[in-house]
Structure formats: C-alpha cells, structure tokens
Amino acid sequence: KSIEDLYPKAPLTLDDLYGTEVEEGIWKVYLGTRIVYHATTYEAAKSILNDMHLVKGSKGMFGPGIYFAASMEIAKHKSRVCVGAYVICKVDFGYAIVLGSPCKNLTLEDIREYGCDSVMGRSGPNTNWEFIVYESERTRPLQMIRLKQKDIDNHIYNDEDEEGWNAGGISIHFGTKPA
C-alpha cells in the first residue's frame, strides 16, 4: 500500500491516525515502507537514478531532510524548485512523529528521542501531509517521471536521445542499481 492509500489526501485528524501519544500532544505512527514521490529538477532526478542515492537538503519545513509526498500533485505543490521530474521511491519510514506545524530546526536526533525514524508533517490544518527522512539509507529510488514542460528559456524538452518511454506528456525512466 502507498501512503496515499493509508492516509488519503483529505486532511486528517489525530483520531484518524491509529497512533500512539508518546507525550502530551506528541504522536507517533508506524508507516513502515511505502512508495512515495520526490519532486525535483530533471538534472537532479537523473543524478539520483544514476547514483541510486538521494541527498538530504540543507533546510526545509521540518529541518534538513529528504522530503516526499503521497502523490505527484502534492510533491509538486510542496517543492521549492522548478519541478522537471519526479523520482518514485521506496522509503522505509519506520515510526514517524506526527507534526501539525513546521519545525524548521528539527533533526534526526530530535525525533529519535521519541523513538521515531521520520516525520509525517504538514504546515497547518487542512493542508496535505509530507513525509521526511534524515538518512538516505532509508530511500531506494525506483524510477523517474520526467515532465514535458517548457523550461525557463521557453524550450520544449526533447527526449529523442533519452532512454525510457513516453506516456502521454511524461517520460518514464527506470533506474538500475550499479553492480
């Protein structure tokens, strides 16, 4: 099951989470391993698939981490870059601390105090969840979906020299783990 299946796009209340209150007002929930989306530039997506490695960002709504969403639409909305591709990943979230508002200085050490491996957070009520890990070892890039969109120079991307296949406005590229 994907996170989207487990936790639909509709805003959730803590009553919906079947979690554990680890401290007053602080909840954790077991997410386990899920298929999720990471929005990024096309160049970064190619690098991620080539290296089979995602790199932690330097900042974010929940501190420096690797951010994911349950759908491409949510990933694009939450991304801080001009999205040129999505990387579909299998991520081991383990136990996630549930946060209903930003905490920009959050670290792995902070969430480990609550027995958690990741964050399930959102910017406020009635907003979509995002999912954050702080260790690249928890991620496994599976494939890239490249957008067919005009870039800043009004140039249309051309996939004639790229491996993959075109699926109605997007190109799918599969990563392979290096030997």
Side-chain angles (χ1 to χ4, degrees), residues 59-63 67 78 80 101-104 121-123 130:
K59 60 184 177 178
M61 194 164 49
F62 297 96
Y67 286 70
K78 301 236 176 227
R80 297 181 330 206
S101 62
C103 183
K104 294 184 178 188
R122 59 184 178 183
S123 58
E130 52 193 296

Side-chain angles (χ1 to χ4, degrees), residues 156-177:
I156 297 175
Y157 292 119
N158 184 344
D159 282 342
E160 290 176 359
D161 297 326
E162 300 286 341
E163 291 183 19
W165 55 276
N166 187 301
I170 58 175
S171 295
I172 312 292
H173 300 264
F174 296 93
T176 55
K177 203 163 199 162

Side-chain angles (χ1 to χ4, degrees), residues 52-66:
M52 294 301 288
H53 181 81
L54 282 99
V55 177
K56 181 168 71 167
S58 61
K59 60 184 177 178
M61 194 164 49
F62 297 96
I66 306 169

Side-chain angles (χ1 to χ4, degrees), residues 108-159:
L108 178 61
E109 292 74 26
D110 295 332
I111 66 172
R112 285 273 163 84
E113 289 181 22
Y114 298 100
C116 293
D117 310 296
S118 63
V119 173
M120 178 178 172
R122 59 184 178 183
S123 58
N126 302 319
T127 60
N128 291 306
W129 295 103
E130 52 193 296
F131 306 89
I132 303 92
V133 295
Y134 300 91
E135 303 164 293
S136 61
E137 297 79 19
R138 293 186 161 277
T139 68
R140 181 171 170 232
L142 300 175
Q143 69 185 51
M144 169 179 56
I145 299 177
R146 181 180 185 190
L147 297 178
K148 292 254 189 192
Q149 64 185 23
K150 292 185 177 184
D151 65 16
I152 295 170
D153 298 321
N154 207 29
H155 172 268
I156 297 175
Y157 292 119
N158 184 344
D159 282 342

Side-chain angles (χ1 to χ4, degrees), residues 11-56:
L12 300 173
T13 67
L14 289 178
D15 295 337
D16 299 326
L17 288 177
Y18 309 111
T20 305
E21 192 171 21
V22 292
E23 198 173 283
E24 189 170 336
I26 299 176
W27 291 79
K28 80 176 184 179
V29 62
Y30 183 73
L31 295 177
T33 301
R34 304 285 175 212
I35 302 296
V36 288
Y37 300 90
H38 177 76
T40 190
T41 65
Y42 173 63
E43 289 302 318
K46 282 194 330 185
S47 177
I48 288 167
L49 281 179
N50 186 50
D51 300 341
M52 294 301 288
H53 181 81
L54 282 99
V55 177
K56 181 168 71 167

